[in-house]
Structure formats: C-alpha cells, structure tokens
Amino acid sequence: MKTHEHSTDAATTAGQNAAAQDRPGAAAARDGREAARNTADGADTADGAAIDVTAEGLPSWLEPVARAARTVEPRQLSRFLPPASGAGRQSAVLVLFGEGARGPELLLMERAGSLRSHPGQPSFPGGSLDPADGDQATTGPLRAALREAEEETGLDPRGVQIFGVLPRLYIPVSSFVVTPVLGWWRSPSPVGVVDPAETARVFTVPVADLTDPANRVTTHHPSGHRGPAFLVESALVWGFTAGVIDRILHFAGWERPWDKAKQVPLDWRA
C-alpha cells in the first residue's frame, strides 16, 4: 500500500476452526460488508468488467479465510478503528492469495528505499480511493484495490476473484482508513516493479513460511508500540500488513504457537 508448501494438517485445522465467534456489535460490520458484496455483484468497472464478490469455486484450503471474513468483528482485527466522525483518507489494499511452487502464497511488494514514508517496508498492493472508483461504502474499495494492484505490480485484475472484504481499519500515523479486500489469484499473470520510484520489488511469500514459528517475531518501536512481524523473503514484514496477516492466520486456524518474546527493534524512521 502506498503510505508453498501448506500442510494438509494445517488445512484440516483451518476448516475446523476458521470462523470467528459471532458477538453483539458484529452486525454493523457484517451489514457494511454485505452491502459491498451485494452492490458489487454484477456492477461494471471503468473498463466494463464486472466486479463480483463470491466464494464460489475457491480451493478448499482458502475456504476458512472466506468463512472468517464473513464473521470477524473489527475489534478482533485491530484496536485501531476508523474515527466515528468519518474522518480519514479512504483507501484499500488487495490481500491476494495464489498458489505457487510451494503451495498457497500471498502477494506483497516492497516500497522504494528512497521514499520519505516507510522506505523499504513490505506491504500489500493498495492506495487511496479515487473519485472514479465510486462509492467508498460499497464498490469503491474493491475497484481501488484492483486498480492500485495493477498500477503497482502490473497484475491483470481479470485474473482475480474477490471473495471477501474485511472491516475497515485505521492507521493513525497516516490517517488512512483501510479496507482489506480479499482475492484469489484464479488466473495468475506476470507481476513486477512498474515504477521503481515507488516500488523496490514485488514478491510472493508462501503461507507455510508465514506460519513457521521460526519466522515470527514481535517488533518494538521506540514509541512503545509492539506488533507481530514476519522475517520472510529477506524482508521484515511488520506494521499494518503484518497485523492483517497475523489475524488472518489466527482466524483461519492456520496459526502455530510462536515465541512472542522474540523481539526485533525498530528505529524512529520506521
């Protein structure tokens, strides 16, 4: 965002434990996501392609993520939620699952080291909503996530099946209100750096590496903030991106016990 080898046991566990508990207060979040799905179904994008949000035909290993997305509450994902006033910069990210040589994987990108904001930080493809993306409460985030992914990685959005939308979350330091849009890379297309001034590299991470306890750490910022992180593909994935991945692994039932006391310090520039 501007700012594999997957074991059978893990997939089985995910199928048994994926759905989050339905609690009072989840209705509003579900209603908003349901509105996005209903409005998006059959709606046209700027290039005439329809946006359909459906879990039909997903690979079995991905079904626990789709189930969790339908029930998870905002507070189960983060303590940082959008201001009640509606303030904030509306944006979206594409959380894209594919299947590579080592099984299930996630698409990530690394910000250019020359950028003033979070240089070198890995993230999901994504960015701010444009007026042309449409209604920010329904189809806007879906279009923005696909558009930004295409602009940043060269991804062909026609090969992506959107199967879920997570609750909007908040990044206080940048005032971004972020909608994570879940996608299945049904028809993979070549990806890579489109603009070196913005992006250093585009890469995929096997889910097996993300669930490996040896690759999991806790970052410690000088401000006192601590959060989950992943040491994968010669990168430290932390912050908002790592937080979303951490919660998806948890609610999909894929998380394995890991040592939260294992810390990696960040500096003030992070």
Side-chain angles (χ1 to χ4, degrees), residues 178-241:
V178 188
T179 300
V181 177
L182 305 178
W184 158 236
W185 211 352
R186 178 174 35 80
S187 300
S189 56
V191 293
V193 173
V194 175
D195 182 358
E198 294 281 346
T199 307
R201 63 170 172 148
V202 176
F203 60 101
T204 57
V205 179
V207 171
D209 288 350
L210 293 167
T211 60
D212 186 343
N215 297 331
R216 304 212 56 180
V217 296
T218 297
T219 51
H220 181 200
H221 193 273
S223 66
H225 177 73
R226 288 176 168 81
F230 303 84
L231 290 165
V232 290
E233 300 297 323
S234 303
L236 174 66
V237 182
W238 64 281
F240 175 85
T241 301

Side-chain angles (χ1 to χ4, degrees), residues 1 22 25 43 80-81 83 98 107 112 114 126 143 154 171 198:
M1 175 182 174
D22 190 15
F80 299 112
L81 302 181
L107 178 69
S114 59
R143 289 192 178 92
I171 304 179
E198 294 281 346

Side-chain angles (χ1 to χ4, degrees), residues 9-246:
D9 289 344
T12 301
T13 302
Q16 293 172 341
N17 301 324
Q21 292 296 318
D22 190 15
R23 300 177 182 173
R30 288 198 303 271
D31 288 348
R33 281 171 278 167
E34 190 65 31
R37 287 193 292 268
N38 291 341
T39 306
D41 189 23
D44 289 337
T45 60
D47 63 3
I51 296 182
D52 297 312
V53 181
T54 176
E56 295 280 337
L58 290 180
S60 59
W61 59 264
L62 197 47
E63 291 173 358
V65 181
R67 286 197 297 269
R70 291 193 293 268
T71 57
V72 69
E73 300 177 37
R75 286 286 181 193
Q76 292 176 305
L77 295 177
S78 174
R79 64 189 179 92
F80 299 112
L81 302 181
S85 64
R89 303 166 64 186
Q90 296 296 323
S91 60
V93 295
L94 181 63
V95 184
L96 183 61
F97 290 89
E99 191 148 13
R102 295 184 55 212
E105 59 187 17
L106 269 177
L107 178 69
L108 296 176
M109 50 176 277
E110 186 174 300
R111 293 169 56 82
S114 59
L115 293 175
R116 294 178 60 186
S117 176
H118 300 303
Q121 184 174 346
S123 68
F124 299 118
S128 299
L129 270 66
D130 285 347
D133 293 324
D135 186 1
Q136 67 183 32
T138 55
T139 58
L142 311 184
R143 289 192 178 92
L146 292 174
R147 174 182 54 76
E148 288 282 348
E150 182 177 15
E151 292 176 1
E152 293 176 331
T153 73
L155 171 79
D156 186 346
R158 293 173 297 182
V160 175
Q161 174 183 338
I162 296 177
F163 67 87
V165 182
L166 294 180
R168 287 179 173 83
L169 303 175
Y170 190 57
I171 304 179
V173 67
S174 59
S175 299
F176 273 109
V177 176
V178 188
T179 300
V181 177
L182 305 178
W184 158 236
W185 211 352
R186 178 174 35 80
S187 300
S189 56
V191 293
V193 173
V194 175
D195 182 358
E198 294 281 346
T199 307
R201 63 170 172 148
V202 176
F203 60 101
T204 57
V205 179
V207 171
D209 288 350
L210 293 167
T211 60
D212 186 343
N215 297 331
R216 304 212 56 180
V217 296
T218 297
T219 51
H220 181 200
H221 193 273
S223 66
H225 177 73
R226 288 176 168 81
F230 303 84
L231 290 165
V232 290
E233 300 297 323
S234 303
L236 174 66
V237 182
W238 64 281
F240 175 85
T241 301
V244 171
I245 294 174
D246 171 78

